[in-house]
Amino acid sequence: MAIAVFVVFVALVLAVSRHTSKKASSVGGYFVANSSIHWGVNGIAFAGGYLSVASFLGIAGLIAFHGYDGFLYSIGFLAGWIVALFIIAEPMKRMGTFTFSDALNKKFSRPGIQLSAGLSVLVVSLFYLVPQMVGAGVLVEPLLGIPHYWGVILVGTVVILIVAGGGMTSTTYVQFFNGGLLLTFAAILTVAVLARGIDTRHLPAEEGSADLESYRFEQVPADFSAETPVPEIAGARVTGRHAVTDRYTGKEQIVFYRISRPVDASFADEHTYTANIKGRTVRFEVPDDSEHPWRLESFNGRDVIRIEDWWLHIPGTEVLVETQFRSVLPDGTGVVNGGPESLANRVRQMGHVSSLPEQYGSSTGAVGPLRYISVFSDRSTTVQRAMSTSFTSDRGESVTVYYEEPTSGSAFMRPGLMFPVEAREGEPAFTTLLNRLNFISLMLALFLGTSALPHILIRYYTVPSAEAARKSTIVAIGGIGLFYILTMYLGLGSVAAGALNPETSNMSAPLLARSFGEVLFAMISGIAFTTVLATVSGLIMAASGAVAHDLMENILKKEVSDTGKVLSGRIVAVIVGIIGIILGIAFRDMNVSFLVGWAFAVAASANLPALLFMLFWKRTTSKGIIASILTGITASVGLIMLSPDMWARYGFDAASAPMPLNQPGIVSIPLSFIVLITVSLATGKKKK
């Protein structure tokens, strides 16, 4: 079913692209759809292009894993449209023709502005392109059962066909198609979540299978020491220990015990046995001539496979709690939950609500939207959050353990889980200050970055008038605002359904849909795929226009014919698509909303100061605009490359990163404004 729906959606998108490709032969037709798009269609297309996988997959996932803090992304993404409506929309339409640089350069007609603005569009588009490709791979992997990188390649190929063939007209109607479907099915999924309510007794079936319920982790009394057997698990003994300590106080926060235990095995064929591992039937190959992290033995007169897995103990509590884990042994062998990694043996879904306020007992039944939020926010509600930690064991294996952390509903639904703004015990005042600055920096980038995104700006050129630009912005705000309200229910519904993939928060919404059955999962996954196509096509169109219209004439130092610009635009679409594919594969494990935050920071730093001052400050000079754009690009990208998250990707200690903040906006945005003002004053004509 899922594959069939996927194929239908792709076929529809390609059919739209082919139908509209005839209008893409001229420069105006290819880059701005001849400014002939109706404002209503353009408004929904705005929503379809803006509501990327960062919104549909990323925000829902952040809410599911981090509660209210994830919803702050929705607030930031929506708030930025206020700037677009009241400041940018109509002036952009009046001052531009094809690209962002047209508006900046209308007053000055300087090649340097076109070069710097074109470079900015290219850089921002690539930064925004990466999370879309990451989301595409994450989505297609379970949908089609293919590896992540093939999903990224598939999406990239389809988008290249859309943009290279149909241009802006094709992109507009793909985004319109996606925006309408996205709003419709997000509303349907939200209604289903409210009708189900919150139930602590059982979880919906995992992966749409009637006999595979989302896993509940076993608990046993923690009355043992590291040197003695575990009395509650027959034949079990402790073989290792790893403690996670607080970086400030040195106290042990959680302790993981590696426990060796037998599980019943059944003979399958030569050297192959099967055993039930955390509710899955796993095949074990046990050759006689090699050593494995599992082995066949006899226990109490029956054949068993002895496996090793990790259990969690929180100091001060009296229970030992089962976890899930993925590890890589020194010889490269992959292990999941004590067995060989395979399609059948992979990390299970996690998360649920384990207790409710007394008046509801074990189930709320169907509830309204306000009551649903109220129940989740109650201090008597306990949310089992999906958590993970990574370490190297005493045997040299790289281990990532996934576990559930009980959190009160009141803590889950207030700020602090993702963006800590209050000092923890022993935390230096400087660290608390950095946490607050990081949060402010992110909100600043989201609020100011929206109206500076190139794939948003070019949409203003597709309508016939400034009034139509304003109307389409109002339609966009209505659609986008409605969707962001719904993300709260998609995220919370994912927790209540136990539909959290602990290895990636990006799959929360599709897995929530799957908990209602394969049909809804197929529809939501297909829509999420068109969301990727809609956003990526807009980004590649913006990058294509920047290179073909802005950069080529200035680099080649000669006028390029209209036919040449269209051909160049199509070639650039292919090249940018390939680059996006490569980067999408490289950044697979990062949350897409987090990555989009970087794109917003670069856009707000490089584009917004130049645009605002060009519109509203008469003393702005061409040199000031050029200096501001180049400073914004260099500062924002440079600080991102030196941030803790990137420092960790390089293999270094994140705490030693030269830039202590993950979000650069609080530094790069003011710096870009200051440079523009300073250079403009220094290079402007002095009043006599």
Side-chain angles (χ1 to χ4, degrees), residues 427-450:
E427 181 178 271
F430 181 68
T431 303
T432 306
L433 175 63
L434 287 179
N435 289 334
R436 293 173 179 174
L437 290 176
N438 206 44
F439 172 70
I440 294 171
S441 185
L442 172 64
M443 290 297 106
L444 191 65
L446 297 184
F447 182 73
L448 297 179
T450 298

Side-chain angles (χ1 to χ4, degrees), residues 271-273 284-290 292 294-296 305:
H271 299 306
T272 303
Y273 287 78
F284 290 82
E285 292 186 6
V286 192
D288 298 329
D289 56 353
S290 64
H292 280 69
W294 50 82
R295 61 182 181 274
L296 181 69
I305 296 286

Side-chain angles (χ1 to χ4, degrees), residues 363-650:
S363 176
T364 63
V367 292
L370 295 180
R371 181 59 58 86
Y372 197 86
I373 300 293
S374 174
V375 172
F376 254 100
S377 303
D378 196 288
R379 67 179 58 189
S380 300
T381 299
T382 302
V383 179
Q384 298 292 338
R385 296 173 59 214
M387 306 290 289
S388 68
T389 189
S390 299
F391 55 88
T392 301
S393 74
D394 53 1
R395 297 178 182 174
E397 60 182 327
S398 299
V399 183
T400 300
V401 180
Y402 306 99
Y403 59 98
E404 293 182 339
E405 179 179 283
T407 305
S408 72
S410 58
F412 189 70
M413 293 298 288
R414 70 169 183 258
L417 293 181
M418 184 178 182
F419 303 112
V421 292
E422 297 180 357
R424 292 168 23 214
E425 181 184 358
E427 181 178 271
F430 181 68
T431 303
T432 306
L433 175 63
L434 287 179
N435 289 334
R436 293 173 179 174
L437 290 176
N438 206 44
F439 172 70
I440 294 171
S441 185
L442 172 64
M443 290 297 106
L444 191 65
L446 297 184
F447 182 73
L448 297 179
T450 298
S451 55
L453 292 171
H455 70 296
I456 296 299
L457 293 174
I458 61 172
R459 290 234 59 87
Y460 289 119
Y461 303 139
T462 63
V463 291
S465 66
E467 182 184 7
R470 176 172 48 83
K471 288 181 178 179
S472 62
T473 304
I474 294 172
V475 172
I477 290 174
I480 293 167
L482 172 61
F483 180 83
Y484 282 143
I485 292 173
L486 300 181
T487 58
M488 175 63 81
Y489 298 98
L490 301 185
L492 297 181
S494 298
V495 179
L500 307 185
N501 180 341
E503 296 186 289
T504 172
S505 60
N506 296 322
M507 277 302 292
S508 299
L511 291 178
L512 168 64
R514 179 172 254 168
S515 71
F516 290 102
E518 287 297 311
V519 174
L520 191 55
F521 169 69
M523 297 298 295
I524 293 296
S525 298
I527 292 167
F529 185 77
T530 63
T531 299
V532 177
L533 299 183
T535 304
V536 172
S537 59
L539 290 168
I540 294 180
M541 271 305 307
S544 174
V547 174
H549 182 68
D550 302 330
L551 298 180
M552 279 190 57
E553 288 187 5
N554 293 286
I555 294 174
L556 298 177
K557 301 297 182 183
K558 64 178 182 180
E559 188 174 346
V560 181
S561 67
D562 286 357
T563 303
K565 288 182 180 179
V566 173
L567 177 60
S568 300
R570 287 173 170 156
I571 293 172
V572 172
V574 175
I575 295 173
V576 173
I578 292 173
I579 294 173
I581 289 171
I582 295 170
L583 294 176
I585 294 171
F587 284 83
R588 170 188 178 178
D589 57 338
M590 297 188 74
N591 180 276
V592 290
S593 282
F594 182 83
L595 289 172
V596 162
W598 282 349
F600 274 66
V602 177
S605 303
N607 296 345
L608 189 66
L611 189 57
L612 289 179
F613 275 72
M614 181 272 301
L615 291 172
F616 302 109
W617 193 43
K618 293 181 179 180
R619 299 184 66 179
T620 302
T621 66
S622 60
K623 291 181 180 178
I625 288 177
I626 294 169
S628 174
I629 291 174
L630 295 180
T631 298
I633 295 173
T634 305
S636 57
V637 174
L639 292 174
I640 287 171
M641 293 299 106
L642 299 176
S643 67
D645 271 356
M646 288 303 297
W647 214 242
R649 293 190 74 83
Y650 303 147

Side-chain angles (χ1 to χ4, degrees), residues 22 32 46 66 70 113 150 159 169 268 360-361 432 503 531-532 588-589 593 649 686:
K22 297 177 182 178
V32 295
F46 258 135
H66 305 288
I113 291 181
W150 277 116
V159 171
T169 305
Y360 294 106
T432 306
E503 296 186 289
T531 299
V532 177
R588 170 188 178 178
D589 57 338
S593 282
R649 293 190 74 83
K686 295 183 179 180

Side-chain angles (χ1 to χ4, degrees), residues 52-65:
S52 63
V53 291
S55 298
F56 188 44
L57 302 184
I59 293 177
L62 289 177
I63 293 172
F65 278 71

